[in-house]
Amino acid sequence: MTLSNTNKTPKRILLTGPTGFIGKRLLYELDKKGYQVRCLVRPPETLDLTIPLTREPEIVYGDLLDPDSLIEALEGIDTAYYLVHSMGGRSIRETLAFEEKDRKAAENFLQASDNAGLSRIIYLGGLGDISDNLSHHLASRQEVGRILQSGKVQTTILRAAVIVGAGGAAFEIVRYLVERLPVLTCPKWVYTKSQPISIDNVLAYLAGCLDTPETAGRSLDIGGPQVLSYADLMRMYARVRGLKRLIIGVPMVPFKLSAYWVNLITPVPAGVVLPLAEGLRNEAICRENTIREMIPLNLLSMEQAICNALAEESEGPGKLLSQQACFLPEDLQ
Ligand SMILES: NC(=O)c1ccc[n+]([C@@H]2O[C@H](COP(=O)([O-])OP(=O)(O)OC[C@H]3O[C@@H](n4cnc5c(N)ncnc54)[C@H](OP(=O)(O)O)[C@@H]3O)[C@@H](O)[C@H]2O)c1
């Protein structure tokens, strides 16, 4: 069992969102590091493990919107990962209530964590400057961070822009659009600059926080080595796949119209696309890089991150996370 640097007893960890894009991967990462993890799962969901873990995870059923269900989930826990959001209804109407739900979920979780005497919460939020007339999605991610930092528990906030990995909504939108359309007509917000990061690096930072006590109580920006726009990511994807694609900018298109259009071409629901698209009107670039000294990593290029995602998808879900094969063209290595 992995031991913390400061505390010689094994940490007891609660993972929220273990059915999600990031949570399900973090479960493998923590298992690999030797941690026994308790997973909070919303009924009637189950944990769909694509490859076996070394340790059987403990499952507790609960919902962040139901405070009573959190008491048992947090009993005896030292550190909780907060990897939950309510965005993602199939329709735009379903998604509209996400801010209120996310506020309530964070308040419930903080209260239950304070009552249970938790030492730490580690939350993955979003990049973006509060002065920048943030989209509802990014403003809500920041509000959740402020709530989680307002209690007795020491909360670490890692702030990320687009995370590139197989199954992540932002990456799947790029993949389907570029695979399916030879000419991409894009509204001007696809040219906004951001600092995407590979899922592998995000997992290493999330897991690394456990062994790095100086990250407790801090808000830290995490980003990859390149500042890119969504249009740059699409061009990069086409290059890695050897596809010829033309990207043409078009004048202002309403976000809702874009969300319905993306939903026609890709399997990503309009209720997920809308908040993501609105978020692209704000620059999402790291304002500080303290984490690079606290948890030194080899930051993957976005070409490499795209390659890893493609390799993971081509290997099929049974091989998920089993290896990081890469078919990066030689001139991109
Ligand atoms: N993906 C990105 O590119 C990205 C970028 C920056 C930051 N982040 C942050 O990373 C975190 C995780 O994102 P993700 O992409 O992994 O999201 P995701 O795939 O949509 O997963 C969301 C998870 O939250 C759970 N959940 C939602 N409402 C809940 C509730 N009331 N009670 C308990 N669980 C609930 C879902 O459970 P069910 O299976 O039951 O629905 C699911 O496991 C979020 O905080 C997000 O803001 C993500």
Side-chain angles (χ1 to χ4, degrees):
M1 174 78 60
T2 302
L3 302 178
S4 91
N5 294 341
T6 50
N7 177 354
K8 294 294 172 202
T9 55
K11 287 196 170 87
R12 303 191 63 194
I13 296 168
L14 177 75
L15 178 61
T16 67
T19 55
F21 163 56
I22 293 159
K24 80 166 88 142
R25 287 168 168 76
L26 187 61
L27 181 56
Y28 283 99
E29 192 70 21
L30 295 173
D31 181 66
K32 226 166 46 190
K33 290 190 114 195
Y35 289 106
Q36 174 69 49
V37 180
R38 182 184 294 169
C39 295
L40 180 90
V41 177
R42 267 200 299 191
E45 294 292 331
T46 49
L47 256 193
D48 179 20
L49 296 176
T50 46
I51 50 171
L53 296 166
T54 335
R55 286 156 209 81
E56 189 68 22
E58 186 190 343
I59 312 280
V60 288
Y61 287 95
D63 187 323
L64 266 55
L65 295 173
D66 171 9
D68 290 344
S69 71
L70 302 178
I71 298 170
E72 185 197 340
L74 285 161
E75 204 182 309
I77 292 294
D78 302 298
T79 301
Y81 280 97
Y82 194 94
L83 300 179
V84 162
H85 67 84
S86 309
M87 216 178 65
R90 293 216 65 76
S91 69
I92 285 182
R93 192 130 76 93
E94 265 179 77
T95 276
L96 291 178
F98 76 88
E99 291 156 289
E100 181 53 35
K101 281 193 198 156
D102 279 339
R103 184 177 309 127
K104 202 71 223 149
E107 286 169 357
N108 289 344
F109 195 75
L110 179 70
Q111 183 67 61
S113 300
D114 275 348
N115 293 346
L118 231 72
S119 314
R120 285 188 76 181
I121 295 174
I122 300 170
Y123 162 62
L124 182 61
L127 273 172
D129 290 335
I130 205 75
S131 55
D132 214 9
N133 185 23
L134 284 182
S135 72
H136 294 295
H137 166 48
L138 294 181
S140 166
R141 296 291 76 209
Q142 305 222 349
E143 181 182 32
V144 167
R146 282 196 301 277
I147 294 170
L148 294 177
Q149 277 194 326
S150 67
K152 289 182 276 182
V153 188
Q154 293 258 290
T155 296
T156 301
I157 303 177
L158 296 185
R159 305 193 325 146
V162 165
I163 296 173
V164 176
F171 173 73
E172 292 305 329
I173 293 172
V174 169
R175 186 165 81 90
Y176 276 93
L177 290 179
V178 178
E179 292 285 348
R180 292 184 169 174
L181 301 174
V183 178
L184 292 123
T185 48
C186 296
K188 70 172 190 190
W189 38 262
V190 302
Y191 297 99
T192 308
K193 292 294 180 196
S194 129
Q195 199 168 345
I197 181 167
S198 78
I199 181 69
D200 306 81
N201 287 150
V202 172
L203 296 175
Y205 279 139
L206 282 167
C209 281
L210 277 179
D211 299 325
T212 316
E214 57 271 33
T215 57
R218 299 284 303 268
S219 175
L220 301 160
D221 293 356
I222 60 173
Q226 296 140 297
V227 171
L228 301 168
S229 66
Y230 215 67
D232 294 330
L233 263 185
M234 291 196 274
R235 278 191 209 98
M236 224 175 233
Y237 180 96
R239 189 147 177 246
V240 168
R241 285 276 293 113
L243 301 168
K244 286 212 179 323
R245 294 294 180 258
L246 189 60
I247 298 181
I248 301 175
V250 292
M252 237 11 245
V253 181
F255 286 111
K256 266 192 194 172
L257 191 62
S258 303
Y260 284 124
W261 179 79
V262 170
N263 182 220
L264 278 181
I265 314 288
T266 79
V268 184
V272 175
V273 180
L274 179 67
L276 289 179
E278 283 179 339
L280 288 182
R281 74 169 188 238
N282 301 109
E283 282 202 346
I285 298 170
C286 296
R287 295 294 170 217
E288 55 82 40
N289 291 305
T290 329
I291 192 116
R292 295 191 185 179
E293 278 127 54
M294 290 177 166
I295 305 174
L297 290 183
N298 171 26
L299 290 176
L300 298 187
S301 69
M302 283 310 103
E303 289 92 341
Q304 182 74 59
I306 291 168
C307 258
N308 287 355
L310 289 171
E312 190 180 311
E313 292 197 338
S314 68
E315 284 176 11
K319 296 278 177 57
L320 184 68
L321 300 176
S322 62
Q323 51 181 293
Q324 295 298 325
C326 181
F327 311 118
L328 202 59
E330 257 173 39
D331 63 323
L332 292 179
Q333 282 175 18

